[in-house]
Amino acid sequence: MALASVQLDDQYSYKGFIVGIVNAKTQPVFAEQVEKELISLLQANPRFEFLEKNQESFRTGLNSISAKTIQPASTDQLKIYEDLFKDQYVKGSRSVILGEILKNEDADYQINLTLAITATGEMIATETAAVSNPKALDSFVLATREAMAELVKKIPFDATIVKRDGYLVVLDRGARVFRPGTQVSVFTTENRDGKPVFEETGLIGITQ
């Protein structure tokens, strides 16, 4: 077992978010609505950092790659974006949410969101939500919110400790549920057999 490292903390910090729609060229109207909502949700959530400076280059790179679908979502399915992810990692992007507008034979729509990290191209989680009324653009926004809410639940932590002074620690950001008196578990990122594992190491209380 290797000790928790700065490299692992950087790769799995879920900072530096960018977003993209894999089939934006075939579903441009719906894709625009989904992308805008994803960006809005990231910007409104104190847990995350949206990298606006990298968004346009990622969107351009994504649109230049021909991928009919990434379903069923998996790390293997994301290998087509390996070079794009590496380029974004160099630019400072650490996490990516890929959206896909799915349409079945009955003309029903779904929104799929897939979370991956740029350092390795590893898929972390995926969620899908149904579009209740395909004739209303707001329904695509609502489905995006629903899928995003479930996707966020699969991220294994809410904040990162960036500084320690004795028994006091400073968090880089906080979930909305953080209030003075809230107690949260602390984890370190360990490397076991080449795979990152979160191990609980203690408990802290929020003071301010």
Side-chain angles (χ1 to χ4, degrees), residues 120-193:
T120 62
E122 177 186 352
M123 187 197 82
I124 301 300
T126 185
E127 277 294 336
T128 300
V131 176
S132 60
N133 181 8
K135 296 182 180 180
L137 290 179
D138 283 349
S139 291
F140 287 83
V141 172
L142 293 175
T144 302
R145 291 177 188 171
E146 181 182 340
M148 183 66 167
E150 294 303 313
L151 192 71
V152 166
K153 293 178 183 178
K154 295 184 176 180
I155 297 178
F157 56 85
D158 298 299
T160 301
I161 294 175
V162 294
K163 181 181 178 181
R164 178 176 179 176
D165 183 7
Y167 290 104
L168 298 177
V169 295
V170 177
L171 305 182
D172 64 341
R173 59 201 187 282
R176 291 186 176 91
V177 296
F178 285 178
R179 299 287 188 274
T182 301
Q183 291 189 329
V184 294
S185 297
V186 179
F187 295 79
T188 59
T189 311
E190 310 289 352
N191 189 334
R192 288 185 179 272
D193 299 324

Side-chain angles (χ1 to χ4, degrees), residues 82-102:
E82 183 177 2
D83 291 339
L84 179 60
F85 285 175
K86 288 180 178 178
D87 176 65
Q88 285 296 320
Y89 183 78
V90 171
K91 293 177 179 177
S93 305
R94 294 296 179 263
S95 307
V96 55
I97 296 177
L98 294 174
E100 185 171 359
I101 293 93
L102 307 176

